Amino acid sequence: MSTERQVVLITGCSSGIGRALALAFHEHGCLVYASARKPETLSELCARGIRTLKLDVTRGEDIAAAVALIQTQHQAIDILINNAGIPVMGPVAELPLDELRQQWETNLTAPMALIQAALPAMIARRRGRIVNIGSVSGILTTPFAGPYCASKAALHAMNEALRMELKPFGIEVLLVQPGAIESGFGASAHTQTGGHAWRLYAAYAQGIAKRAGASQEHATPTTVFAQQLLRAVLAPHPQATIRIGAGSRLLPLLARLPQALRDAILLRRFGLR
Ligand code: NAP
């Protein structure tokens, strides 16, 4: 990458991975714009000298304003990290369609909207890196996480297309597939799934809760994850697909087992036997 101070925009910095990445890139010397839909959650990052922005990734006007502000000051974003994401978990048969739509908007449409907004200025300079935070859940689909797994699998597919389409313009597109990483993700999943009184699946509440909490089992500390990702993103020749964190290498292997065996393992794990 260029030796100039890199301008980095990160979404979803109120907690977890986004917050840790903002700190890691800032401490490394990058000029970080940490964003969140609730700006008050960024006061600690702001106090450390990190620039902060209000950015709800599902609001087009927020995206336009954030990108315009950065481009006014620095011409273009050097590194865009699409991190914001939500869990929508539970049995597919009973999940309200509004939640499925919100899942899709946040985890898939929003990163594409940010990329479209940031790209013209990146292309004008013929340089830039786009980093999409996918998930091992986009490779291994489990019961009780259909919408979340689908959103990440779709993000992976978009990432693949973009990586090839942006080659002629000199823009690099990196896909991160984290394993289990310490963050607020498990608590959000418990809150979201706990808000439902399952009818068909009332007897499977334990399995649903287990899936909601799976991201926090034996999880890799967020700071460790952030340091490893920082190195991977700033590498002179970065890998296109980056796997970091507990289970990030094992779970893709599980996904390649014969279907009957894989189903048996997952049915048992999530109480469907
Ligand atoms: P987290 O602590 O729950 O962080 C999620 C972040 O996304 C929060 O800052 C949240 O903000 C933000 N967000 C949600 N909707 C938003 C919106 N509409 N606009 C702006 N920000 C929004 O969980 P995390 O683990 O750090 O998650 C970060 C990313 O990593 C997600 O894409 C997740 O899918 C992915 N991931 C996590 C794991 C893991 O094990 N933790 C594994 C694989 C992938 P609020 O505080 O406002 O809700």
Side-chain angles (χ1 to χ4, degrees):
M1 294 212 80
S2 144
T3 49
E4 286 166 36
R5 201 174 179 204
Q6 300 292 306
V7 176
V8 186
L9 171 61
I10 310 172
T11 63
C13 295
S14 70
S15 62
I17 290 173
R19 182 181 173 282
L21 287 176
L23 286 167
F25 278 85
H26 172 70
E27 280 158 19
H28 186 77
C30 295
L31 206 163
V32 175
Y33 284 84
S35 69
R37 55 183 162 179
K38 295 173 218 133
E40 65 275 17
T41 59
L42 300 171
S43 52
E44 191 208 328
L45 296 181
C46 184
R48 293 194 189 208
I50 295 173
R51 299 184 188 193
T52 57
L53 287 173
K54 178 194 175 300
L55 172 50
D56 180 331
V57 295
T58 61
R59 291 171 60 92
E61 58 271 37
D62 282 13
I63 292 175
V67 171
L69 184 138
I70 298 173
Q71 289 179 175
T72 305
Q73 297 181 15
H74 314 283
Q75 288 187 326
I77 296 164
D78 292 303
I79 303 173
L80 166 63
I81 304 184
N82 279 313
N83 165 72
I86 56 167
V88 170
M89 299 193 181
V92 174
E94 292 198 59
L95 275 165
L97 297 180
D98 278 351
E99 287 189 38
L100 301 193
R101 292 189 186 100
Q102 192 196 357
Q103 173 81 97
W104 212 250
E105 271 299 305
T106 310
N107 290 13
L108 184 71
T109 311
M112 296 309 120
L114 269 142
I115 290 167
Q116 288 187 359
L119 261 179
M122 284 183 172
I123 289 175
R125 295 198 311 188
R126 298 193 81 76
R127 70 163 201 263
R129 280 184 187 169
I130 293 167
V131 181
N132 292 312
I133 307 288
S135 173
V136 284
S137 296
I139 306 168
L140 177 70
T141 301
T142 68
F144 304 138
Y148 179 65
C149 296
S151 74
K152 291 297 185 181
L155 180 64
H156 294 185
M158 288 287 199
N159 185 94
E160 296 292 288
L162 273 166
R163 189 183 62 239
M164 294 182 274
E165 290 169 8
L166 294 178
K167 205 93 181 164
F169 301 100
I171 310 301
E172 293 162 297
V173 182
L174 314 183
L175 176 63
V176 188
Q177 297 174 339
I181 314 297
E182 280 175 6
S183 73
F185 201 77
S188 294
H190 280 303
T191 304
Q192 176 260 324
T193 52
H196 296 284
W198 310 113
R199 288 170 289 107
L200 297 170
Y201 288 86
Y204 298 92
Q206 229 178 334
I208 294 168
K210 192 167 181 59
R211 182 58 187 93
S215 72
Q216 301 304 299
E217 280 178 29
H218 313 295
T220 298
T222 329
T223 46
V224 172
F225 173 84
Q227 282 305 328
Q228 289 184 18
L229 186 55
L230 169 91
R231 283 197 293 278
V233 169
L234 296 180
H237 303 288
Q239 289 189 344
T241 303
I242 300 159
R243 290 181 175 160
I244 303 174
S248 63
R249 289 176 194 276
L250 190 65
L251 294 176
L253 296 179
L254 180 53
R256 287 162 59 183
L257 289 178
Q259 184 200 308
L261 178 58
R262 193 176 67 230
D263 281 8
I265 293 169
L266 293 173
L267 288 170
R268 178 183 288 271
R269 172 148 162 73
F270 296 109
L272 283 156
R273 268 270 159 85

